[in-house]
């Protein structure tokens, strides 16, 4: 079973609901591409002919909102528009939207915050997307944003002291050895294969799969990945806490973030290997372009906290979390400077596939 | 929008999860009838022909489990057996089960306690069943147990001091005037019509709707309804608390439980009025026969607390709840004696309908 590290629930200061607007900006960048690809490539009318004029969408790794609501609303509008363009009959299209995430996701908050004016039937689906979640051929469009960079687990070699991939003193692969990076890459390939095989069963022929995730263009070295700067900074705070006697060094050695930024080449390989999907679009986009010229580092750290608090807490205990993030806040200048030398042009992979 | 009074969440002493075995016993009584009617009347093979061999079930008013899991597992097994009997092809049937209840239901607990060995894809659907919850023709079998006795709201006349249906000093209709009882009956008819119209849209032709709810046989006076004894006892505790100056009399006057026990005749009328369903089975069963000869009154009071705490809390405030139920526990002898003269043979309506 895939490990689960839900985003922070509720709607408090450190909640994902309050700290996810960067992910939303990224979704906005993807929006234009999604709209085009649906308008051009999705044959809504023939898709729904066998489903009583209802169109089923799933958002995998939806977290608690509100980003998932914006994304689903957008897709719904574009699909409906395409349907009308195709000369729809008098009977209107009905939509069912499945919000899916790990069972430990805060579905109560998600359900309580569903837009009251929504024009779809909402459902929540608990479970890991590294496995089947829906009956065969039951979905017309599947969307996943900022979720697939989460691996199903940390590659095992990283925790093996006798392995050349032992990741001592690091918590991610971006500034680690090639052995560590290769172990992450292999895990990504394995997970992506499981993901795509499951979706190939669930999506009807002619349906689409749209993926938005952390990524890097082909040929850019992993050390240039901008989020790596934050992981390194959190790692450096942890090492400072080791020096201060607050945690043990072995705790840091045995901790790794199961997060990976793939390249178009890596994803293309898995897709071709599976063979059930055609690649309609693939690009590496830059969400930051919509966020103004400079990055707000403290705000980004809050975003990291909303997304990563759970995984840090499970390993290090809840008593060190405030300390960890407070120490990282103090590294703002260092982070800003390191970001200057990271790859700035694009770190969001957007992929649109069609089930053949 | 229908009012929502969820069962107690979590799994503590007063939780519905720990205090719902009477409802489970009732489900067991219904089980036999459900099994027969599916075996005899449901054409599984032709139903799923247009849905890629997947069979969709919904449980409306599922609460947090575990009863819903037992009921769904049973239906799944009987449908699968029928499918095999019909000479199923090599491709196996896939099941999707929709667990539905108000958005305020504790879906987090429900999802966390899903049986790990389940052979179905699970989804949660938030919302009132007094309205549409699913796309048209998307369900093959809909089940609802111990939920439809909850009206969408208290009939308005009951709160109107100038109305002959003003329910002064009472919290239910079973020992009230005919005017009050008629107001409840009218609300039930209205609600049931909305419920059945929504289900008629959602259930495919040939699909089934199985309802289990509190009920009374035709011709038995409402004052004989055994649950009425408990409502009267809770009401009497409230009036004692008025005398003790703990709450105001006007608070009791303005409080009514939106719970109704219908007769087969009443339900038949609505079904015939709607016209989309054939009645395959209808009976008034007695769950108590499976519970041994004598009723355990304190245990039943705990069940009432798990089911009713929320609605009492919303009206009277949480500070009086312990007092209310402690006072009611002291009335055990009185309750037992009143139950002796109530109608003992059956208070569970079980109805199986087929979408025509």
């Amino acid at each position: 079973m895939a490990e689960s590290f839900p985003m922070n629930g509720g709607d408090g200061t450190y909640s994902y609901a309050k700290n996810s607007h960067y992910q939303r900006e990224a979704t906005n960048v993807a929006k234009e591409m999604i709209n085009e690809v649906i308008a051009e490539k999705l044959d809504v009318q023939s898709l729904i002919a066998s489903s009583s004029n209802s169109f089923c969408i799933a958002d995998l790794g939806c977290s608690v909102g509100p980003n998932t609501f914006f994304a689903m609303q957008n897709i719904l509008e574009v699909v409906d528009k395409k349907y009308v363009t195709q000369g729809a009959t008098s009977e209107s299209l009905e939509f069912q939207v499945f919000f899916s995430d790990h069972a430990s996701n805060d579905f109560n908050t998600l359900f309580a915050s569903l837009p009251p004016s929504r024009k779809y039937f909402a459902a929540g689906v608990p479970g890991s997307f590294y496995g089947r979640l829906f009956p065969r051929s039951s979905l017309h469009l599947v969307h996943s944003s900022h979720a697939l960079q989460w691996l199903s687990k940390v590659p095992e070699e990283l925790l093996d002291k006798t392995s050349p991939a032992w990741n001592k003193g690091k918590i991610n692969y971006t500034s680690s050895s090639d052995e560590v990076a290769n172990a992450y890459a292999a895990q990504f390939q394995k997970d992506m294969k499981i993901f795509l095989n499951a979706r190939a069963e669930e999506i009807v022929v002619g349906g689409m799969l749209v993926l938005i995730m952390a990524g890097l263009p082909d040929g850019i070295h992993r050390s240039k990945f901008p989020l790596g700067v934050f992981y390194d900074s959190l790692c450096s705070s942890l090492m400072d806490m080791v020096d201060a006697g607050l945690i043990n060094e072995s705790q840091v050695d045995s901790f790794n973030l199961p997060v990976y930024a793939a390249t178009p080449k890596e994803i293309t390989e898995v897709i071709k290997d599976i063979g059930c999907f055609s690649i309609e679009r693939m690009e590496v986009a830059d969400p930051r372009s919509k966020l103004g010229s400079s990055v707000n580092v403290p705000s980004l750290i809050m975003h990291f906290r909303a997304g990563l608090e759970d995984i840090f807490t499970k390993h290090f205990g809840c008593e060190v979390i405030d300390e960890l993030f407070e120490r990282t806040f103090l590294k703002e200048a260092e982070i800003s400077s390191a970001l200057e030398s990271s790859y700035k042009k694009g770190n969001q992979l957007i992929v649109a596939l069609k089930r053949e």
Side-chain angles (χ1 to χ4, degrees), chain A:
Chain A
M1 196 172 157
E3 290 180 79
S4 125
F5 305 105
M7 305 297 102
N8 283 351
D11 58 2
T13 310
Y14 301 120
S15 67
Y16 183 79
K18 289 253 169 79
N19 292 284
S20 50
H21 54 270
Y22 282 101
Q23 289 90 329
R24 181 150 70 256
E25 289 304 324
T27 309
N28 283 340
V29 174
K31 192 171 157 176
E32 207 176 313
M33 194 266 254
I34 293 172
N35 295 3
E36 279 174 20
V37 86
I38 289 175
E40 288 167 20
K41 309 280 187 168
L42 199 72
D43 183 353
V44 179
Q45 200 157 39
S46 72
L47 272 184
I48 54 142
S50 62
S51 69
S52 308
N53 284 11
S54 49
F55 191 95
C56 297
I57 309 171
D59 192 24
L60 307 186
C62 63
S63 189
V64 291
N67 292 354
T68 186
F69 305 133
F70 299 129
M72 294 302 98
Q73 182 59 31
N74 176 57
I75 288 174
L76 186 154
E77 284 169 13
V78 187
V79 170
D80 202 49
K81 202 172 157 192
K82 176 69 186 278
Y83 182 58
V84 172
T85 314
Q86 290 189 294
T89 60
S90 59
E91 192 162 28
S92 68
L93 205 50
E94 290 191 341
F95 288 90
Q96 187 169 34
V97 175
F98 293 93
F99 297 95
S100 181
D101 210 317
H102 287 287
S104 54
N105 183 52
D106 187 355
F107 280 96
N108 288 351
T109 294
L110 176 79
F111 287 167
S113 50
L114 279 165
S117 63
R118 66 188 179 279
K119 289 192 174 141
Y120 52 84
F121 300 106
V125 172
S128 165
F129 51 50
Y130 293 125
R132 288 282 302 280
L133 290 165
F134 300 90
R136 64 175 84 86
S137 304
S138 64
L139 299 173
H140 300 108
L141 195 148
V142 173
H143 173 267
S144 178
S145 179
H146 293 86
L148 269 170
Q149 65 261 35
W150 285 91
L151 302 174
S152 69
K153 60 175 186 176
V154 170
E156 279 158 23
E157 310 90 290
L158 270 70
L159 305 172
D160 177 1
K161 286 186 188 178
T162 68
S163 163
W166 185 39
N167 203 18
K168 183 171 170 51
K170 299 277 179 182
I171 64 166
N172 188 244
Y173 69 97
T174 49
S175 56
S176 296
S177 68
D178 284 350
E179 285 81 3
V180 170
N182 291 341
Y184 268 89
Q187 186 65 49
F188 175 80
Q189 292 270 346
K190 236 184 281 179
D191 287 343
M192 196 65 188
K193 206 164 173 172
I194 293 169
F195 177 89
L196 287 175
N197 271 322
R199 303 300 83 76
E201 295 265 9
E202 296 164 355
I203 299 174
V204 297
V205 170
M208 294 197 89
L209 175 58
V210 178
L211 310 175
I212 304 161
M213 63 182 116
L216 264 185
D218 294 318
I220 301 293
H221 193 262
R222 63 183 180 275
S223 61
K224 298 287 179 192
F225 183 59
L227 298 193
V229 169
F230 288 89
Y231 303 143
D232 286 347
S233 172
L234 283 162
C235 184
S236 152
S237 299
L238 287 169
M239 293 309 281
D240 294 347
M241 287 162 75
V242 170
D243 292 343
L246 298 169
I247 52 174
N248 296 322
E249 192 169 355
S250 64
Q251 283 181 279
V252 181
D253 292 344
S254 61
F255 179 78
N256 293 284
L257 285 168
V259 176
Y260 187 70
T263 62
K265 188 163 166 275
E266 286 177 292
I267 300 211
T268 305
E269 269 172 32
V270 194
I271 295 165
K272 296 226 181 291
D273 209 31
I274 300 290
C276 302
F277 292 100
S278 62
I279 300 172
E280 302 297 336
R281 285 291 193 89
M282 183 168 318
E283 59 188 65
V284 186
D286 182 9
R288 285 186 297 167
S289 62
K290 303 263 169 145
L291 292 172
S293 53
S294 66
V295 171
N296 181 336
V297 172
S299 162
L300 269 174
I301 294 173
M302 284 293 272
H303 275 63
F304 275 92
R305 179 165 185 161
L308 301 176
E309 182 169 324
D310 186 67
I311 187 167
F312 277 101
T313 302
K314 276 184 181 143
H315 188 84
F316 295 100
C318 57
E319 60 285 359
V320 307
I321 293 302
D322 283 339
E323 176 92 22
L324 169 62
F325 282 93
E326 274 158 29
R327 282 173 182 265
T328 308
F329 271 116
L330 298 177
K331 296 179 198 289
E332 181 182 341
E334 210 177 299
I335 293 172
S336 295
S337 145
L339 280 175
E340 278 308 306
S341 61
S342 70
Y343 182 74
K344 286 196 205 126
K345 286 189 74 179
N347 51 48
Q348 296 297 329
L349 242 170
I350 314 179
V351 184
L353 307 178
K354 192 166 176 181
R355 177 76 172 86
E356 288 185 319

